[in-house]
């Protein structure tokens, strides 16, 4: 049963620290998405990749967030420096890259708390 | 830009009651529509999706949704809910722009089923 995996599942850190979240997409999927979920804003798309190339990262605060795909099996989302308002659940999703008719499969999320 | 509205923030039902959750989208072109469910503490899972064809779509766990193009709606239904359906439900849309992969989510509807 292929699944998207994310690490860590939970992260508590202090303001100003760097946070790195990792995602392993489903093998063979070539689109990867990062979403942030908060009570106030709901689910927001931060960035997405196709074939490891960033297609859109307009949802990310550029000064502190960065997203990369060093290889096809790993996507990372970094926050540096972190702020309390970054506290949220960050979901990674992957898809087979068939465009509009693809289903995105979500990972379990990283629950981040910045103190 | 596309947007999704879910009218009910929180719905409380008794077991065996019928369910209908509203979803309206705003987009001028062809859309693909999805309902995802998030059980407490878990990741998003796909319930059902509509791409084309029969506007009445059946999903997992007895859920169905009807796409009404004239009303820009994609309401989720279940004839008889169970306590295990307690979860948050998200409607989402992908528009028809070239290379469009972005899922736009509604704010979600929390369903509480009372035994």
């Amino acid at each position: 049963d292929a699944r998207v995996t994310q690490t860590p599942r939970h992260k508590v850190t202090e303001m100003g620290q760097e946070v790195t979240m990792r995602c392993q997409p489903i093998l063979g999927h070539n689109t990867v998405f990062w979403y942030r979920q908060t009570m106030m804003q709901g689910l927001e798309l931060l960035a997405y990749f196709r074939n490891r190339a960033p297609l859109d990262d307009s949802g990310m605060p550029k000064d502190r967030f960065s997203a990369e795909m060093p290889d096809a099996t790993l996507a990372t989302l970094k926050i540096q420096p972190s702020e309390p308002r970054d506290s949220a659940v960050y979901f990674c999703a992957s898809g087979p890259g068939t465009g509009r008719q693809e289903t995105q499969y979500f990972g379990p999320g990283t629950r981040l708390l910045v103190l | 830009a596309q947007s999704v509205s879910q009218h009910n923030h929180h719905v409380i039902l008794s077991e065996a009651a019928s369910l209908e959750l509203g979803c309206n989208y705003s987009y001028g072109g062809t859309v693909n529509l999805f309902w995802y469910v998030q059980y407490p503490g878990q990741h998003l899972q796909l319930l059902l999706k509509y791409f084309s064809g029969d506007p009445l779509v059946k999903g997992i766990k007895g859920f169905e949704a009807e796409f009404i193009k004239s009303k820009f709606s994609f309401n989720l239904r279940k004839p008889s809910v169970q306590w295990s359906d307690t979860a948050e439900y998200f409607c989402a849309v992908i528009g028809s722009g070239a290379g469009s992969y972005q899922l736009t989510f509604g704010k979600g509807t929390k369903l509480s089923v009372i035994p």
Side-chain angles (χ1 to χ4, degrees):
Chain A
D1 184 20
R3 296 186 182 192
V4 176
T5 58
Q6 289 185 248
T7 56
R9 294 292 308 277
H10 302 271
K11 176 74 176 178
V12 180
T13 191
E14 293 186 341
M15 182 173 64
Q17 296 298 305
E18 177 179 300
V19 175
T20 299
M21 292 169 271
R22 294 176 175 81
C23 167
Q24 183 173 7
I26 292 173
L27 191 64
H29 282 187
N30 61 13
T31 54
V32 173
F33 306 81
W34 284 105
Y35 291 90
R36 176 171 61 185
Q37 185 180 35
T38 61
M39 291 287 289
M40 294 301 295
Q41 300 297 326
L43 276 156
E44 304 171 283
L45 179 68
L46 296 176
Y48 68 94
F49 294 77
R50 187 182 187 202
N51 295 325
R52 296 175 55 201
L55 287 191
D56 188 351
D57 60 2
S58 59
M60 273 191 339
K62 299 290 192 307
D63 56 337
R64 299 184 300 107
F65 284 61
S66 62
E68 295 178 346
M69 279 200 75
D71 61 59
T73 64
L74 177 64
T76 61
L77 180 66
K78 289 186 182 179
I79 309 174
Q80 168 65 333
S82 57
E83 297 181 2
R85 59 181 167 150
D86 301 329
S87 298
V89 182
Y90 291 82
F91 288 103
C92 175
S94 71
T98 52
R100 294 173 49 238
Q101 296 198 353
E102 72 173 9
T103 297
Q104 294 180 22
Y105 295 86
F106 284 76
T110 294
R111 190 174 295 271
L112 174 65
L113 177 61
V114 183
L115 302 173
Chain B
Q2 57 205 29
S3 65
V4 178
S5 297
Q6 293 182 242
H7 317 296
N8 309 104
H9 179 63
H10 192 184
V11 172
I12 303 173
L13 294 173
S14 298
E15 273 193 324
S18 64
L19 170 72
E20 180 159 3
L21 301 182
C23 171
N24 285 92
Y25 65 92
S26 171
Y27 188 75
T30 304
V31 291
N32 292 333
L33 296 154
F34 304 79
W35 275 98
Y36 281 84
V37 60
Q38 187 176 28
Y39 296 102
Q42 295 191 25
H43 61 289
L44 282 89
Q45 301 171 45
L46 182 70
L47 265 183
L48 49 80
K49 59 190 176 185
Y50 171 80
F51 292 158
S52 63
D54 189 343
L56 185 61
V57 181
K58 294 195 184 300
I60 61 171
K61 305 188 181 187
F63 286 90
E64 65 179 31
E66 185 175 13
F67 171 54
I68 303 179
K69 188 175 180 180
S70 61
K71 295 184 178 180
F72 297 91
S73 70
F74 190 56
N75 292 354
L76 181 71
R77 299 195 292 248
K78 186 171 183 179
S80 176
V81 296
Q82 301 172 310
W83 176 78
S84 57
D85 294 324
T86 294
E88 192 157 13
Y89 293 81
F90 294 90
C91 182
V93 61
I94 290 181
S96 61
S100 174
Y101 299 86
Q102 180 177 343
L103 266 176
T104 299
F105 283 91
K107 289 287 177 73
T109 297
K110 190 166 292 189
L111 172 66
S112 298
V113 180
I114 302 168

